[in-house]
């Protein structure tokens, strides 16, 4: 069976939330079912449309809108012969091109993935599965898009989890994989938007520079200084250069480390110079 982007997507849907089943050999009653379980109509319609395009058969969406299914002996046997199993523990990511892997990953994450967000504290994309081999295949596929992930065993839930953390990796996921699922797509955008931008846009004109310094600076009366702190050294170097043009000397110190392991720097100027600048 030849893969294209639509077939790759169908395969992923079936691995994540689907089934390809037939009756056991010892049963007299025969059945052959292919189906995709989900309550999101966007995904159900996507599965239905792609299935019809690839196989020329249009599966039905149930009245409860909780799955899209079809009964077809020939296709069921053909899929089982080609891929052996789509059960949670046994599915495998097929050996397909990078273009098709992109489609496969999107549909799998659309079905089984989630986005976690605690504003300004924690953002991650994740999957859970009892299929460790399959998760490792997904991890390898993600690496082809320069996306780093980790896999851990959760003994309390008897399940493996794959997580993508860090702004760069989450941005690469959005750029290269993304979500069709509307709620997950929105949550992903919210997660990326919640990152604080630590790069300073320092004004050049005096009036706005003074306003900027009053917002960023911390006055130390005991030291007779105004101090500016940043985790990005270049921010302070830029401010230092702008102050030099105004003939105000400053002192750059660091790096230092806080109790959480973050590195930061400090630029200090005399309080008298700061007050003169404000006049």
């Amino acid at each position: 069976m030849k893969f294209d982007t639509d077939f790759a997507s169908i395969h992923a849907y079936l691995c994540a939330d689907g089934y390809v089943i037939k009756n056991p050999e010892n049963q007299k009653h025969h059945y052959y079912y292919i189906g995709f379980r989900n309550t999101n109509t966007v995904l159900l319609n996507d599965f239905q449309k792609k299935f019809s395009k690839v196989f020329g058969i249009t599966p039905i969406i149930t009245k409860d809108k909780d799955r899209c299914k079809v009964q077809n002996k020939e296709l069921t046997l053909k899929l089982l012969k080609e891929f052996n199993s789509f059960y949670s523990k046994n599915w495998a990511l097929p050996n397909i091109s990078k273009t098709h892997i992109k489609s496969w990953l999107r549909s799998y994450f659309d079905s089984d993935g989630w986005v976690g967000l605690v504003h300004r504290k924690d953002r991650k994309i994740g999957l859970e599965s009892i299929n460790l081999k399959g998760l490792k295949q997904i991890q390898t596929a993600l690496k082809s898009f320069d996306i780093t992930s980790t896999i851990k065993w959760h003994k309390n839930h008897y399940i493996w989890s794959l997580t993508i953390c860090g702004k760069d990796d989450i941005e690469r996921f959005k750029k290269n994989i993304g979500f069709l699922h509307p709620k997950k797509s929105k949550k992903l955008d919210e997660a990326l938007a919640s990152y604080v931008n630590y790069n300073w846009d320092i004004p050049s004109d005096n009036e706005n520079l003074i306003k900027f310094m009053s917002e960023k600076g911390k006055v130390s009366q005991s030291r007779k200084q105004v101090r500016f702190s940043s985790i990005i050294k270049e921010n302070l170097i830029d401010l230092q250069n702008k102050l030099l043009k105004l003939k105000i000397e400053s002192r750059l110190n660091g790096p230092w480390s806080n109790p959480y392991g973050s590195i930061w720097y400090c630029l200090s100027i005399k309080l008298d110079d700061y007050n003169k600048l404000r006049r």
Side-chain angles (χ1 to χ4, degrees):
M1 302 180 80
K2 188 177 180 181
F3 271 92
D4 59 12
T5 55
D6 290 329
F7 189 13
S9 178
I10 292 167
H11 187 279
Y13 279 138
L14 293 173
C15 290
D17 280 331
Y19 52 88
V20 181
I21 55 174
K22 67 182 185 70
N23 61 291
E25 296 296 333
N26 60 351
Q27 286 187 356
K28 292 182 179 180
H29 176 67
H30 297 285
Y31 58 82
Y32 305 90
Y33 284 113
I34 303 165
F36 171 58
R37 306 180 195 92
N38 209 284
T39 56
N40 185 271
T41 56
V42 173
L43 299 189
L44 291 176
N45 288 329
D46 188 56
F47 178 82
Q48 183 185 56
K49 179 181 177 181
K50 288 175 178 175
F51 198 97
S52 177
K53 184 178 177 181
V54 171
F55 300 116
I57 303 167
T58 303
I60 63 166
I61 296 174
T62 58
K63 291 181 180 179
D64 293 333
K65 295 185 178 180
D66 63 350
R67 71 184 61 200
C68 184
K69 64 179 183 176
V70 65
Q71 186 174 12
N72 186 284
K73 177 180 177 180
E74 182 182 354
L75 184 55
T76 299
L77 294 177
K78 192 173 182 180
L79 288 171
L80 289 175
K81 181 180 179 180
E82 183 76 17
F83 303 106
N84 188 36
S85 176
F86 290 88
Y87 282 115
S88 299
K89 194 174 181 179
N90 301 322
W91 59 262
L93 197 162
N95 185 20
I96 51 181
S97 71
K98 188 174 180 179
T99 300
H100 299 155
I101 284 176
K102 177 178 179 177
S103 181
W104 193 98
L105 289 172
R106 167 178 263 199
S107 294
Y108 194 92
F109 274 91
D110 271 326
S111 302
D112 262 10
W114 50 266
V115 180
L117 170 61
V118 180
H119 282 279
R120 298 196 177 188
K121 290 185 180 180
D122 187 37
R123 305 94 171 160
K124 60 182 68 171
I125 301 167
L127 292 171
E128 278 87 31
S129 179
I130 60 173
N131 188 343
L132 176 59
K133 183 179 178 181
L135 286 185
K136 286 184 175 179
Q137 290 176 324
I138 289 176
Q139 186 177 52
T140 300
L142 289 169
K143 284 181 181 178
S144 69
F145 297 98
D146 199 25
I147 300 170
T148 302
S149 61
T150 59
I151 297 176
K152 293 183 179 179
W153 170 249
H154 291 284
K155 60 181 180 180
N156 294 334
H157 301 285
Y158 301 100
I159 201 165
W160 295 93
S161 69
L162 178 148
T163 54
I164 301 168
C165 303
K167 185 181 180 182
D168 290 344
D169 287 306
I170 294 174
E171 282 181 336
R172 282 190 281 268
F173 180 92
K174 176 180 170 61
K175 178 182 177 182
N176 294 292
I177 311 299
F179 287 106
L180 177 64
H181 193 296
K183 290 184 179 179
K184 293 177 185 180
S185 180
K186 182 180 179 182
K187 194 78 173 287
L188 178 58
D189 289 339
E190 289 174 354
L192 287 170
S194 72
Y195 279 99
V196 178
N197 184 1
Y198 293 103
N199 292 297
W200 292 359
D201 185 13
I202 304 174
S204 298
D205 63 289
N206 286 7
E207 183 179 348
N208 287 315
L209 177 60
I210 294 167
K211 183 180 178 182
F212 175 86
M213 291 173 67
S214 66
E215 292 172 353
K216 295 288 186 183
K218 185 175 181 180
V219 177
S220 172
Q221 293 291 350
S222 61
R223 295 172 181 262
K224 302 295 182 183
Q225 290 180 340
V226 179
R227 311 182 82 193
F228 304 88
S229 300
S230 176
I231 62 171
I232 301 176
K233 187 177 181 180
E234 286 74 16
N235 287 337
L236 300 177
I237 292 173
D238 188 14
L239 179 58
Q240 188 175 47
N241 290 334
K242 283 184 167 63
L243 290 172
L244 275 175
K245 291 180 180 179
L246 299 173
K247 298 183 179 180
I248 295 176
E249 294 185 357
S250 59
R251 183 175 179 179
L252 180 60
N253 293 310
W256 295 310
S257 177
N258 66 17
Y260 303 101
S262 296
I263 303 298
W264 62 286
Y265 303 84
C266 178
L267 182 76
S268 60
I269 64 173
K270 293 179 180 179
L271 183 58
D272 286 345
D273 289 338
Y274 176 69
N275 289 331
K276 288 177 183 176
L277 185 64
R278 296 177 65 192
R279 290 174 190 154

